[in-house]
Amino acid sequence: MASTSENSGVSSMHLATENPRCELRTWRPSDRYSLCAQANNPRVWRWLAEDFPKPYTLAAADAWIAHAQDSESELQLAVVFGGAAIGNIGVRATGDAPRGHIGYWIGEAFWGLGLATAAGRAFVEHLRAEARFDCLETLVYAGNTASERVLEKLGFIAEGPCPQVLYKDGRRLEARRFSRSLRVPAAR
């Protein structure tokens, strides 16, 4: 279930998840401290894109919240648990529209609670209903088996046996591409 509203010029979105304590919503300036607390963790950022700020400062949190609120080409939502922002889930159009690149992360203190899966199910269902993308895709660094399991639960399939090679922090890393069609709902 999605709801939207408009306050002080910023559009607001809320998506319920299967977990009654977890929701997805528009980032707010008041999320800056919880965002910084969850994101400033090497165990979190090791799995994220090269441009993810490290260390994750309050200035980085402010910049991210402003970006998430103002972007017309992306949809970035806070993953909220018990009222606090504990992660992010988002999508941006790729050059091969109507394909979307999805990404997500959850703060380490909340790993293993099924929150990435709950957030992912609500987000993917919203994107499917919105019909903006025909397909979603993402890359997962080799060794991030927890993220691979989440994607499999969401109906994503690993593409091909050949991993892609990416560079992060000056090191060569392998990553697997996962994709999912949004034309037909995936089995749960």
Side-chain angles (χ1 to χ4, degrees), residues 32-110:
R32 69 191 299 253
Y33 293 105
S34 60
L35 170 57
C36 190
Q38 299 307 320
N40 194 29
N41 181 335
R43 290 177 47 109
V44 169
W45 73 53
R46 79 177 279 202
W47 302 117
L48 301 177
E50 174 73 25
D51 61 351
F52 193 81
K54 44 193 175 299
Y56 205 97
T57 63
L58 286 173
D62 292 339
W64 175 254
I65 291 167
H67 168 79
Q69 289 179 337
D70 295 338
S71 181
E72 293 183 19
S73 63
E74 300 179 21
L75 174 60
Q76 301 291 340
L77 298 175
V79 178
V80 177
F81 184 70
I86 55 103
N88 183 78
I89 191 162
V91 66
R92 64 177 164 74
T94 67
D96 299 332
R99 294 175 74 87
H101 182 86
I102 191 170
Y104 57 89
W105 64 268
I106 301 289
E108 182 179 12
F110 302 92

